[in-house]
Amino acid sequence: NAGVTQTPKFQVLKTGQSMTLQCAQDMNHNSMYWYRQDPGMGLRLIYYSASEGTTDKGEVPNGYNVSRLNKREFSLRLESAAPSQTSVYFCASSEVRRETQYFGPGTRLLVL
Amino acid sequence: DQQVKQNSPSLSVQEGRISILNCDYTNSMFDYFLWYKKYPAEGPTFLISISSIKDKNEDGRFTVFLNKSAKHLSLHIVPSQPGDSAVYFCAARGDPDGAQKLVFGQGTRLTINP
């Protein structure tokens, strides 16, 4: 039981490049989330998926897109990376109507 | 507009003493509060939570207090241990029927000195 897994662990991109961050959970959770963590800002919600087939914007969605591929997987795509997207990205999941979210280990992204 | 604030970026405490981490919030609709602990290069892990209908919740060395009138919560760790050195985030939930979106504070880095 791996919980929440994220790939890659670390990535360097040039401005304008695109990439997809992958997230999978094996806890049969309905809800999944993408956050970014920046110094002094805490964790900010980018997008979330309350259930398979639905996605909604969070606090900071600009420059990102998401896909809820199935119940297990929730990917985050940067179409044209910008230096402002340099951050640590965390994926999380939770059971429906349950408050506790379980986090993956994070993806550290550097955009040059 | 920061709805959840942790005004102390860092805190240093002697091993064996009490650590008190504070968190303030502005949205009176928040109905559930959580504390997460984060070690370097790892994801946050759930520590303890409290519903807005309670004013205290205890789990071993960890106790969370909620003062709704002051919109303030605190996490007490007694006694503090070196393994407690980490960044602590408080979080609040504002939509009980929705997707359980959480709003996080900025985090407080706790260092326990031997």
Side-chain angles (χ1 to χ4, degrees), chain A residues 26-71:
Chain A
D26 62 4
M27 295 176 283
N28 202 35
H29 287 167
N30 281 293
S31 302
M32 298 185 74
Y33 314 82
W34 276 105
Y35 293 89
R36 59 178 288 173
Q37 184 198 1
D38 302 292
M41 301 292 288
L43 288 94
R44 292 182 293 169
L45 184 64
I46 305 171
Y47 270 93
Y48 66 98
S49 171
S51 61
E52 187 179 354
T54 69
T55 60
D56 281 290
K57 295 178 181 179
E59 183 186 352
V60 288
N62 291 345
Y64 305 95
N65 284 302
V66 290
S67 295
R68 184 71 185 268
L69 305 169
N70 47 55
K71 191 172 185 180

Side-chain angles (χ1 to χ4, degrees), chain A residues 87-107:
Chain A
S87 188
V88 182
Y89 292 85
F90 290 102
C91 177
S93 69
S94 67
E95 295 179 15
V96 64
R97 291 196 172 80
R98 295 299 296 272
E99 308 79 13
T100 305
Q101 294 181 14
Y102 297 85
F103 285 81
T107 294

Side-chain angles (χ1 to χ4, degrees), chain B residues 14-103:
Chain B
Q14 205 73 21
E15 182 180 357
R17 307 293 284 265
I18 183 171
S19 295
I20 300 176
L21 293 90
N22 294 303
C23 180
D24 297 297
Y25 62 96
T26 58
N27 189 340
S28 58
M29 298 301 291
F30 288 148
D31 70 332
Y32 204 88
F33 303 89
L34 306 91
W35 283 94
Y36 279 83
K37 177 179 179 179
K38 183 183 179 308
Y39 291 120
E42 295 184 9
T45 55
F46 170 72
L47 189 58
I48 192 170
S49 61
I50 187 167
S51 165
S52 60
I53 62 173
K54 296 185 176 182
D55 54 17
K56 177 182 174 181
N57 188 28
E58 207 168 341
D59 183 3
R61 296 186 298 115
F62 302 92
T63 303
V64 56
F65 295 92
L66 176 61
N67 182 333
K68 282 184 293 184
S69 60
K71 294 190 177 69
H72 177 83
L73 66 154
S74 61
L75 174 68
H76 292 210
I77 306 174
V78 182
S80 300
Q81 299 174 353
D84 296 330
S85 295
V87 176
Y88 290 79
F89 292 99
C90 67
R93 181 189 75 171
D95 185 6
D97 294 325
Q100 309 302 307
K101 291 185 290 182
L102 298 178
V103 180

